[in-house]
Amino acid sequence: MSMTDDLPEPARWSDSPPQGERSETAEHAIGAALRRVREATLPSDTALARAARRVNAVAAPRTRGQLIWRLVVSAALIMATGGAVGAALNRWRRVNSDAPAGVAPGANGPAATKRARRRGRHGVQAALPSPQTADLELPAEEPVPEFPAAPQPPAPVLASPTADVPAPASAGPTGVAAQPAQPAHESHARPAERRTEDAAVSVGAELVANAFRDLRSRGDAAGALQALDDYDRRFPNGVLRSESRVARVEALLTLDRRKEALRLLETADGGGALTRDVRVTRGELRAESNRCAEALRDFDAVLAARDGDAAGGRALYGRAGCRLRAGDNQGARRDLTRYLDVHADGPSAEAARRALAVLP
Amino acid sequence: MREKAFFVSRAARTSPVTDPDPVDSPVDVARLYRAHERTVMRWAARLGGPGIDVEDVVQDVFLVAKRRLRSVDESWNIQTWLFRTTEKIVQTARRKRRLRQWLALSREPAAPGMGAPRPTPAEALERERAVEEVYRVLDRLPERQRRVLVLFEIEGMSTQEIAELIGAQVGTVRVWLFRARARFLEEHQRLFQRSQPCR
């Protein structure tokens, strides 16, 4: 027992007698207010009867109803939250999906099909091989007619399959891949069997991916052309027509059908499909066809941006050839010198040195 | 000493000492209600103040009793159980009311269904104002001090009874009461002395 237990009970404010107006203290006033509260909070018979009715009659159903209502609300909230989170996650995945860098050599079967479908719905532009330098790169000894020091043009050969793996679209020029996106890209995954738009995109993506695989991994340019023919027949206005055209050019170059490749590239004008690599390839093909005036436009356009990359090197070398043919020896010398300055170990460096040595 | 009823349950449910009286097991809530309805309603009104739906609180208290209490045990003070349950439900109701007020969804209404004798309009107004003032100050007190002050000053319980009801030492209750009254005076002066003198 503590010491306070022995103390007398404190006097209640609410029991203090009312005082005169002058002698009233705060405690007295509060005591009076507390007495009013005491009176006001006495339960009335009416209130008691109402409470009794609620306890007896409404009690159980009200509780059960509340429980059901809470369950329903909770379920709805969980479903809504889950749906929102799922949708956000799906959208985030689509936006941030790191598409595989092209079709891996030897990749086939269901896994490859799944990847192709995934590329189809996550953005074909990012997943399909873009016409990078290595893909469309003509051989170092690319023929330059009447270029005195240039070696004889060998048959065009694509780069080795190991060099064929294209960089992710974000790492390189977008070029052909920069075609306007189609609404089908935004759609969700669907089985290929369903006749929906995104399913068609998936099938098309698979066809084009097969063409690139045939071309680069297996060296089967004829098979690639068949796959591309199939694609063009089924999807004449498909969203992947730019990629299809690039793959076809690559296949035609592999088959040494250079004129056909040039014709195809010339239809690409104005379609937003002209990357630096495609344009320099077209310039080279035009130069081969003795159309140097047009070839120079392509080379100039490529060199207007920069000349330090592979496409720039090819453009310098090609422009030098055209200038030589036009009798512009000084211009050709400048280009060859610049080429050797920037690409001293480039694929055409040796030919450029020989040409400079014989130039008047 | 206040009426000391019986019971509780969970331990008693499995205890062999439990009275297997079919009337009391499970607890006859109707009888319990008849014995304690007035007390519970008074506690609800006095602990909650204006704006609390007293009938709702009473209903919830006896619903909890119906769900939780399965048998009686004479060692248990049913009043303590009822008071704690009432207090918890009132606290929940006050929290909801504060939230509603914060969201500006409701004003402070007067306690419905209170006041047995029907007062004149002037008396009703005065009483309502007094109640509001008292609870405005009480709401600024810590929960423990508020509870002790309500039980002592409004409910009229002695410190000994309060100690038994809430399961504390008498000395502790007196300390809480002393602090509660000091704090009440301080808050009352802060709230009302400048604007209007105590009547």
Side-chain angles (χ1 to χ4, degrees), chain A residues 100-307:
Chain A
V103 180
N108 50 19
T113 307
K114 281 183 185 173
R115 279 198 296 277
R117 284 181 183 163
R118 194 164 57 237
R119 280 193 293 275
R121 58 175 191 264
H122 289 327
V124 178
Q125 318 292 15
L128 275 175
S130 57
Q132 301 290 324
T133 307
D135 301 342
L136 287 176
E137 192 172 30
L138 295 177
E141 297 77 22
E142 179 63 24
V144 181
E146 291 110 37
F147 191 4
Q152 283 301 309
V157 179
L158 282 179
S160 67
T162 52
D164 281 343
V165 180
S170 59
T174 51
V176 174
Q179 283 280 22
Q182 301 297 316
H185 292 188
E186 296 299 323
S187 58
H188 293 277
R190 298 279 188 283
E193 294 77 17
R194 292 187 192 172
R195 294 181 181 280
T196 57
E197 196 175 355
D198 52 352
V201 170
S202 295
V203 172
E206 194 168 346
L207 283 172
V208 176
N210 285 341
F212 274 107
R213 187 169 58 235
D214 287 345
L215 191 61
R216 297 179 179 175
S217 302
R218 301 174 184 160
D220 183 6
L225 282 177
Q226 278 182 0
L228 294 169
D229 286 343
D230 190 19
Y231 176 82
D232 288 345
R233 190 177 60 252
R234 293 173 66 176
F235 308 102
N237 295 309
V239 293
L240 302 175
R241 56 186 178 277
S242 295
E243 286 80 358
S244 163
R245 186 161 48 204
V246 169
R248 187 179 291 279
V249 167
E250 195 172 331
L252 290 171
L253 288 174
T254 305
L255 294 171
D256 204 19
R257 291 157 62 178
R258 305 173 76 82
K259 288 186 178 174
E260 289 176 61
L262 177 57
R263 275 201 298 275
L264 200 58
L265 282 179
E266 282 177 327
T267 64
D269 231 355
L274 278 181
T275 64
R276 289 167 58 77
D277 301 297
V278 172
R279 191 147 200 175
V280 78
T281 301
R282 191 174 69 180
E284 289 166 342
L285 291 171
R286 281 174 167 168
E288 275 183 40
S289 305
N290 292 322
R291 292 160 57 189
C292 268
E294 295 164 274
L296 280 173
R297 280 203 295 274
D298 282 334
F299 293 141
D300 287 343
V302 171
L303 291 170
R306 59 186 179 276
D307 61 3

Side-chain angles (χ1 to χ4, degrees), chain A residues 1-15 21 24-34 36-56 58-60 62-63 70, chain B residues 29 33 37-38 41-42 45-46 53 55-56 58-60 62-63 66-67 112-116 126-127 130-131 134-135 149 152-160 169-172 174-175 177 181-182 184-185 188-189 198-199:
Chain A
M1 178 171 287
S2 66
M3 286 175 60
T4 51
D5 292 355
D6 301 327
L7 294 173
E9 186 81 357
R12 283 188 184 81
W13 289 340
S14 51
D15 287 346
E21 193 69 29
E24 190 175 64
T25 62
E27 287 86 346
H28 287 134
I30 292 168
L34 289 170
R36 289 196 189 97
V37 172
R38 187 186 288 174
E39 291 163 10
T41 51
L42 279 174
S44 67
D45 292 338
T46 316
L48 284 168
R50 278 200 304 264
R53 273 201 303 277
R54 286 175 66 167
V55 171
N56 289 331
V58 192
R62 178 175 175 268
T63 305
R70 282 177 188 171
Chain B
V29 177
Y33 180 80
E37 57 173 343
R38 199 171 285 273
M41 186 169 274
R42 215 174 48 236
R46 291 174 176 176
D53 187 344
E55 292 167 28
D56 214 23
V58 173
Q59 184 190 22
D60 286 345
F62 285 98
L63 278 177
K66 192 173 183 179
R67 277 204 307 271
M114 288 291 98
E126 193 180 13
R127 180 184 291 180
V131 171
V134 168
Y135 279 97
L149 197 61
F152 185 78
E153 292 287 355
I154 303 175
E155 184 67 9
M157 294 171 75
S158 69
T159 50
Q160 177 72 34
Q169 298 284 332
V170 177
T172 308
R174 288 188 178 173
V175 169
L177 181 62
R181 291 166 76 151
F184 188 95
L185 270 175
H188 189 275
Q189 283 177 354
C198 291
R199 278 170 286 110

Side-chain angles (χ1 to χ4, degrees), chain B residues 110-128:
Chain B
M114 288 291 98
R118 188 175 292 273
T120 63
E123 285 171 343
L125 182 65
E126 193 180 13
R127 180 184 291 180
E128 193 176 305

Side-chain angles (χ1 to χ4, degrees), chain B residues 136-149:
Chain B
R136 271 185 71 187
V137 181
L138 280 175
D139 284 345
R140 290 168 168 256
L141 265 56
E143 203 57 46
R144 210 160 45 188
Q145 294 178 14
R146 182 183 194 279
R147 175 180 56 189
V148 169
L149 197 61

